[in-house]
Amino acid sequence: MKFYFIGMIGILFAVCFGQCVTRNNVSYNLPEAMLPHVKQEYLSRCEKGKILYDINCAGCHNTKVKGKIVIPDFTPEQLKGYELRITNARHSETLTDTTVTEEELGIIMTFLTYKKKSNK
Ligand code: HEC
């Protein structure tokens, strides 16, 4: 009975707070309440972010599981702003202000934030 209740809350949460939209084989979880034209804006920003991610981040972060490319599910705490450039040595070398601009980094963060989790 207890598990049934938790399950129902999970389903309700998924229905009310997330809506999955798929484009170019990547699925995104955008808030249900988002207006259609805003959704379009977020989707094109996410698509741009996917391209920038593939160029600047995928080489170090993507993994392959059974031949399928897996993009990591970073937590919201891990998706930082400027700090990402300096929190580890590999980033200090590669994510400089000249290799990835501030605007590009922001777009990549949007992509990683709304990308559907790989394990679901
Ligand atoms: C040269 C290799 C390399 C590149 C390129 C790279 N990273 Fe990383 N990244 C690392 C390493 C190494 C770590 C630390 C260990 C780990 O979490 O895998 C890390 C950690 C992270 C973390 C976790 C941070 C934390 O504090 O827990 C995030 C988020 C991240 N990278 C995002 C990115 C994004 C976004 C890009 C592209 C703009 C990128 N990385 C490009 C190597 C790289």
Side-chain angles (χ1 to χ4, degrees):
M1 190 62 204
K2 198 175 170 193
F3 290 107
Y4 176 74
F5 186 62
I6 293 168
M8 282 305 284
I9 289 185
I11 289 165
L12 266 176
F13 188 86
V15 170
C16 299
F17 295 101
Q19 190 186 34
C20 191
V21 194
T22 305
R23 259 206 205 171
N24 297 340
N25 288 330
V26 185
S27 300
Y28 299 103
N29 268 326
L30 297 174
E32 177 78 26
M34 207 179 249
L35 293 173
H37 73 279
V38 181
K39 224 170 245 174
Q40 285 306 316
E41 272 172 40
Y42 265 79
L43 275 180
S44 48
R45 196 174 154 90
C46 284
E47 283 180 338
K48 207 171 154 192
K50 165 79 166 63
I51 295 166
L52 289 168
Y53 170 86
D54 283 344
I55 296 169
N56 298 296
C57 324
C60 287
H61 285 291
N62 279 3
T63 47
K64 242 183 183 178
V65 178
K66 291 180 193 149
K68 252 190 97 184
I69 292 169
V70 178
I71 301 170
D73 296 328
F74 292 116
T75 63
E77 294 76 37
Q78 285 178 313
L79 298 177
K80 305 176 179 108
Y82 193 88
E83 291 85 346
L84 203 67
R85 296 186 188 279
I86 47 174
T87 40
N88 74 70
R90 299 305 302 277
H91 282 189
S92 309
E93 290 159 19
T94 52
L95 304 186
T96 65
D97 296 309
T98 42
T99 54
V100 186
T101 67
E102 217 40 44
E103 193 196 354
E104 288 170 338
L105 197 59
I107 296 170
I108 294 169
M109 288 304 124
T110 306
F111 162 68
L112 291 172
T113 301
Y114 292 104
K115 169 191 84 69
K116 198 178 167 217
K117 302 285 167 275
S118 315
N119 56 2
K120 281 179 207 157

